[in-house]
């Protein structure tokens, strides 16, 4: 007896590594009605197999909550593969062609602009500027130096902490964002706000470079 499986594909922006894919996979699998999830970092896509009654808006909200941009590419019903060889062969080739189309960006998803205009780049620049301002304020007004660096730390840490909390609520409590949040809070507690702000900025720089490298690799594919 043939069974139909619903499949919806998404373009996901902001994935840089296998850890990103794992967080998305874990979160989306928690949505009621989702039966299987396949996340491709090189292609920047996510394929969700789900039942008819599944809430696809909840799927998108889960991904956005983790800090990624997501937009549906297409949704269709896949019939069960026939036992005949010719029909099975056509089905296999169709899947392969669809995968290639996704890799080459033929599907319509959110467009990526220059890397320096990306949210990660803007956040990194803001964190760097806050760190420079805090350094200047600390030299001019030593009495409020600690507060200046703590504020600079928060500029970069708040978005990281939001992603850490979202990941924890969706099944990934020990993410790199959570570890960075704990380290930064610990730095504030021990009075090392300057060092904490610097580490947060360097973390954002590392994430930005990772994103640029992943984007170039994706473009090469």
């Amino acid at each position: 007896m043939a069974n139909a499986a619903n499949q919806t594909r998404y373009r996901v922006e902001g994935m840089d590594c296998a850890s990103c894919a794992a967080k998305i996979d874990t979160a989306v699998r928690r949505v009621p009605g989702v039966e299987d999830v396949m996340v491709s970092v090189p292609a920047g896509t996510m394929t969700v197999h789900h039942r008819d009654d599944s809430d696809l808006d909840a799927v998108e909200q889960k991904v956005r909550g983790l800090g990624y941009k997501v937009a549906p590419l297409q949704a269709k019903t896949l019939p069960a593969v026939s036992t005949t060889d010719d029909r099975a062969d056509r089905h296999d080739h169709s899947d392969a062609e669809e995968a290639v189309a996704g890799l080459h960006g033929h599907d319509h998803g959110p467009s990526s602009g220059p890397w320096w205009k990306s949210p990660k780049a803007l956040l990194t620049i803001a964190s760097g500027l806050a760190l420079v301002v805090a350094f200047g304020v600390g030299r001019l007004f030593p009495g409020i130096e600690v507060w200046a660096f703590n504020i600079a730390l928060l500029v970069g840490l708040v978005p990281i902490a939001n992603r850490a909390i979202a990941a924890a609520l969706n099944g990934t409590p020990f993410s790199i964002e959570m570890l960075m949040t704990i380290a930064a809070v610990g730095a504030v507690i021990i009075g090392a706000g300057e060092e904490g702000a610097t580490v947060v900025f360097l973390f954002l720089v590392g994430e930005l470079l990772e994103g640029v490298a992943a984007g170039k690799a994706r473009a090469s594919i």
Side-chain angles (χ1 to χ4, degrees), residues 28-175:
V28 173
R29 286 182 186 274
R30 289 174 164 242
V31 177
V34 172
E35 298 180 344
D36 192 23
V37 182
M38 292 180 291
V39 183
S40 173
V41 176
T45 59
M46 175 180 67
T47 303
V48 180
H49 296 270
H50 56 88
R51 299 194 302 266
D52 290 332
D53 59 349
S54 60
D55 187 356
L56 296 183
D57 288 337
V59 170
E60 295 184 27
Q61 289 173 6
K62 290 282 188 182
V63 178
R64 292 194 183 99
L66 294 172
Y68 305 97
K69 291 183 178 180
V70 60
L73 294 177
Q74 61 184 1
K76 66 180 181 180
T77 299
L78 298 178
V81 178
S82 172
T83 55
T84 59
D85 293 338
D86 59 337
R87 194 173 295 179
D89 181 68
R90 285 198 300 270
H91 178 76
D92 290 340
H93 282 292
S94 175
D95 284 350
E97 290 170 0
E98 180 183 335
V100 172
L103 288 173
H104 285 274
H106 293 168
D107 296 308
H108 297 287
S111 58
S112 298
W115 65 267
W116 59 86
K117 293 183 179 181
S118 67
K120 284 187 177 181
L122 296 178
L123 177 59
T124 303
I125 293 171
S127 178
L129 290 176
L131 188 60
V132 171
V133 170
F135 182 82
V137 169
R139 294 297 176 269
L140 294 175
F141 308 100
I144 61 172
E145 180 180 26
V146 173
W147 293 104
F149 280 110
N150 286 344
I151 293 173
L153 182 148
L154 289 175
V155 170
L157 181 63
V158 169
I160 296 173
N162 288 338
R163 283 155 43 197
I165 295 171
L169 293 176
N170 287 285
T172 310
F174 301 110
S175 61

Side-chain angles (χ1 to χ4, degrees), residues 12-37:
V12 181
E13 289 189 1
M15 293 190 298
D16 303 328
C17 60
S19 176
C20 298
K23 285 187 292 186
I24 293 173
D25 185 286
T26 301
V28 173
R29 286 182 186 274
R30 289 174 164 242
V31 177
V34 172
E35 298 180 344
D36 192 23
V37 182

